[in-house]
Amino acid sequence: MASVLIPAAYLAVLVIALLIFGRIYRKREAASRRLEPWFPAHHERDVYVSLLQCNPPAHDGLIKAALVRRAVADVHRIFRLREDKVALSNLLQRGSISDDLWTSFLAAEKELEAEILEVVTEAETFKQGWGNLIFQTAAEIVQNEKLREGMNKVFHSRPQLEAKYGVTKRIVPTITINAPPNMNGAAPTTPTTTVSSKTLQQSLPVPAPSTKSEPTVVSPPPATSAVPGSGKKSKKRK
């Protein structure tokens, strides 16, 4: 029995020692690396500050647009911090990153909070109540940009996908025209018609080339002086 326990205890001690050594080694390696700033320089904030310091002063519309772009950049940073925080917390629990990196992340988070408060304060100086709405507008702009980017990717990758899968025939969209309801509210008796956009385009009249012609003058109808029934009276007199 003792001959089995001694090798097992030796292996357990060896595995624990290796785990401790690996964790300490990874922390030292991470600490020896030079930590870069979490975010690059805030270009939108620099543009806004430079517009405020212009001489002569810039137009209010231009300054407001710069402030909105600054808020949009802050929204992008908020989304990035939310994504990075989950991954960093898991790596920190495993000991894969150093405490300095986590401290740098927390400092970037506090800096972004101060930036958000500054943007809200600047928005209130232009119009009261705009500070509560500027980040909602910025979030809508970000969502619109993401949607537009996805549509552009689909548009540019469509020819490649068609060539890859051998698609030669495209689906023509159709327009369904429903008959209007009757005056008494009854259902329409005429069936609905479906017209394709290609057929509709072909059925449209082609505009004739413009030619210079003299304007036609429509003459009014001649005035009749005869009264109805005057012919009969003249016959009787004869």
Side-chain angles (χ1 to χ4, degrees):
M1 188 66 180
S3 60
V4 178
L5 292 176
I6 292 174
Y10 175 76
L11 290 175
V13 171
L14 183 61
V15 169
I16 293 172
L18 288 175
L19 290 176
I20 295 173
F21 173 77
R23 185 171 183 178
I24 295 173
Y25 178 77
R26 285 194 299 269
K27 283 187 176 182
R28 288 183 178 179
E29 285 291 328
S32 62
R33 297 175 183 174
R34 185 179 179 182
L35 296 177
E36 297 180 357
W38 202 265
F39 293 114
H42 206 315
H43 178 68
E44 289 79 7
R45 180 178 58 191
D46 298 339
V47 171
Y48 175 76
V49 173
S50 63
L51 288 175
L52 290 178
Q53 297 175 356
C54 282
N55 190 13
H59 193 268
D60 289 344
L62 185 61
I63 298 176
K64 290 179 181 179
L67 185 60
V68 171
R69 296 308 305 176
R70 180 179 175 182
V72 169
D74 292 338
V75 170
H76 282 291
R77 296 190 175 196
I78 290 171
F79 289 158
R80 181 180 171 185
L81 284 180
R82 287 180 181 177
E83 295 175 357
D84 294 346
K85 191 170 185 178
V86 179
L88 286 175
S89 59
N90 293 332
L91 292 174
L92 184 65
Q93 292 176 0
R94 298 176 183 177
S96 301
I97 60 175
S98 63
D99 297 334
D100 296 337
L101 185 60
W102 180 253
T103 305
S104 176
F105 173 78
L106 295 178
E109 200 172 18
K110 291 181 179 179
E111 183 181 355
L112 184 59
E113 291 177 1
E115 167 69 16
I116 292 172
L117 292 177
E118 186 177 352
V119 170
V120 171
T121 306
E122 291 290 334
E124 289 290 336
T125 58
F126 289 101
K127 185 178 180 181
Q128 187 177 2
W130 191 30
N132 299 326
L133 301 175
I134 186 170
F135 277 99
Q136 296 180 6
T137 306
E140 292 177 0
I141 293 174
V142 171
Q143 295 296 332
N144 190 14
E145 289 177 353
K146 289 183 178 179
L147 180 61
R148 186 180 301 175
E149 184 180 356
M151 293 178 65
N152 290 333
K153 287 182 179 179
V154 172
F155 178 76
H156 291 300
S157 62
R158 182 175 179 177
Q160 299 177 359
L161 294 176
E162 288 180 353
K164 179 179 180 181
Y165 295 103
V167 178
T168 57
K169 184 178 180 181
R170 297 184 179 179
I171 300 175
V172 180
T174 58
I175 304 173
T176 304
I177 304 175
N178 297 323
N182 297 330
M183 296 299 293
N184 54 2
T189 57
T190 57
T192 60
T193 59
T194 303
V195 184
S196 64
S197 60
K198 186 175 181 181
T199 306
L200 184 62
Q201 186 177 3
Q202 292 177 355
S203 62
L204 293 176
V206 179
S210 60
T211 58
K212 294 184 179 180
S213 59
E214 297 181 357
T216 58
V217 180
V218 179
S219 60
T224 58
S225 59
V227 181
S230 60
K232 294 180 180 180
K233 290 182 180 180
S234 61
K235 289 180 181 181
K236 288 180 180 181
R237 287 178 183 177
K238 290 180 180 181

